[in-house]
Amino acid sequence: MSYALLDRGEEVVVLDNLMTGVSSLVSPDAEFIEGDIGDLALVRALLRSRKIDTIMHFAGSVVVPESVSDPMKYYANNTAATRSLIEAAVREDVPHIVFSSTAAVYGMPPVPVMAEDTPPRPINPYGRSKLMTEWMLADAATAHNLSYIALRYFNVAGADPLGRTGQSTPNATHLIKRACQAALGRVSHLDIYGTDFDTPDGTGVRDYIHVTDLVEAHLAALDALRRGTESGIYNCGYGHGMSVRQVISAVEKASGRRVPLREAPRRAGDPAMVIADATKLRRNLDWSPRYDDIDVIVSAALRWEQRLNH
Ligand code: UD1
């Protein structure tokens, strides 16, 4: 994100506690501060001294199964730390916040395609911790001179086309990363979690959005807030899905290798289909996707995985 902001001539200050972040991935042209978003005094001082006009908030824990086994970590890192960040913004009169929310707020919805007004019913602490943040933002925006856009990410995938950044979390469990690792022989095989879903080929269907398109949604959100667009929530996806088997085929095509597979039972809490109704994003935020192609997404992820070399 910081590369894209700097490319447009913005000044960027990155605050990260490096719990999961990697400082070498921060653009050398951004100012980097190692610290925690929950440190009210530090954040207030930064907001004031750097004259920050917009906070883009990506900090948080994101592993769903971990949120079930260690919920207090999620309410601390996601909800409580964000409460402090919002307080800092309010006290320092920062007018705008762009927040990374998640499709996990929808839980197991009764429909496969979700619009922003589909009632949120998160089924894990991760989704709940993010939904609570959306509520805090809405209340703060009502009470104070603050406007926000919450972007509900669907399945983020791919990597920077210029090879500068990509999914770097060790032991990540995401499908595309695991499939690339299996194709490259870095893990023994890929488990397909469930082959008996009510989907065209029986495997789970997700709306994979290229990270660069997601970055551009943030830029569009920033522009919208600055021109006075009202606060709101936006789904970030393409509006159509790919199955696990379709993703595997794309990885095999991009790598020229077979992905060793094992059919495994469904993962607890995995819905059959999770697809965004992204009409609002296209209509209201001056955004249209540039990388809506699973082959392009998978190729970028594979190139990044090869560079990572572990
Ligand atoms: C992902 C994110 C979640 C986010 C959600 C938004 C993770 C692990 N997942 O969930 O935080 O809120 O998007 O919609 O952070 N699969 C396999 N084998 C594997 C891995 C996955 O078959 O080894 C299947 C899954 O069953 C699922 C699909 O691939 O059908 C995608 O799974 P995954 O990449 O883990 O993402 P989600 O669970 O959809």
Side-chain angles (χ1 to χ4, degrees):
M1 187 72 234
S2 53
Y3 281 101
L5 289 164
L6 290 160
D7 286 349
R8 322 199 307 175
E10 305 278 351
E11 286 175 51
V12 179
V13 181
V14 175
L15 175 65
D16 195 316
N17 63 12
L18 298 183
M19 256 172 60
T20 54
V22 183
S23 60
S24 60
L25 293 181
V26 177
S27 163
D29 296 326
E31 182 184 5
F32 177 69
I33 311 281
E34 185 173 345
D36 200 287
I37 61 155
D39 182 342
L40 186 62
L42 169 70
V43 176
R44 286 192 67 177
L46 275 178
L47 296 176
R48 197 176 324 131
S49 59
R50 274 46 167 203
K51 301 188 173 59
I52 302 291
D53 84 315
T54 304
I55 297 171
M56 289 194 165
H57 174 24
F58 306 95
S61 301
V62 298
V63 181
V64 173
E66 183 192 45
S67 82
V68 176
S69 58
D70 191 1
M72 290 309 121
K73 174 175 173 182
Y74 280 69
Y75 293 118
N77 289 351
N78 295 359
T79 312
T82 304
R83 195 214 68 82
S84 174
L85 181 71
I86 297 169
E87 180 177 344
V90 166
R91 292 221 211 163
E92 296 302 330
D93 288 322
V94 173
H96 310 307
I97 296 181
V98 180
F99 170 58
S100 306
S101 189
T102 170
V105 300
Y106 294 114
M108 297 276 258
V111 287
V113 180
M114 281 140 243
E116 290 82 359
D117 57 2
T118 301
R121 291 202 190 92
I123 57 167
N124 49 56
Y126 170 64
R128 281 191 274 271
S129 69
K130 291 280 186 173
L131 183 59
M132 287 160 78
T133 299
E134 288 188 6
W135 289 340
M136 286 192 288
L137 283 168
D139 291 339
T142 302
H144 305 288
N145 180 29
L146 173 77
S147 62
Y148 75 92
I149 286 181
L151 298 173
R152 289 180 175 165
Y153 301 179
F154 282 63
N155 288 63
V156 187
D160 175 34
L162 300 180
R164 296 170 297 189
T165 55
Q167 163 62 267
S168 305
T169 321
N171 308 321
T173 56
H174 300 84
L175 173 66
I176 294 180
K177 188 175 182 79
R178 296 288 298 177
C180 291
Q181 289 174 328
L184 295 173
R186 298 198 180 139
V187 296
S188 63
H189 67 279
L190 176 75
D191 284 312
I192 300 184
Y193 296 130
T195 55
D196 59 349
F197 286 106
D198 184 15
T199 59
D201 67 15
T203 65
V205 171
R206 298 289 184 274
D207 190 338
Y208 296 94
I209 177 171
H210 193 293
V211 65
T212 303
D213 282 331
L214 189 60
V215 163
E216 286 177 7
H218 288 73
L219 298 178
L222 174 65
D223 291 340
L225 288 170
R226 282 180 177 162
R227 67 172 179 261
T229 300
E230 65 182 35
S231 297
I233 293 170
Y234 292 83
N235 284 340
C236 290
Y238 292 143
H240 58 83
M242 303 296 292
S243 74
V244 173
R245 288 201 194 279
Q246 285 174 307
V247 168
I248 293 167
S249 299
V251 171
E252 292 185 333
K253 190 168 140 196
S255 63
R257 306 192 200 178
R258 288 204 66 74
V259 175
L261 299 174
R262 195 182 286 171
E263 294 189 0
R266 295 181 184 191
R267 279 190 315 202
D270 253 358
M273 282 207 197
V274 182
I275 297 173
D277 178 340
T279 316
K280 187 177 170 190
L281 179 65
R282 290 173 192 252
R283 200 183 49 216
N284 295 11
L285 281 200
D286 193 19
W287 175 88
S288 56
R290 292 198 291 143
Y291 298 95
D292 180 1
D293 180 335
I294 194 66
D295 292 326
V296 172
I297 290 174
V298 160
S299 299
L302 189 69
R303 272 198 308 279
W304 176 254
E305 207 56 46
Q306 280 163 326
R307 281 171 71 114
L308 268 185
N309 209 17
H310 61 66

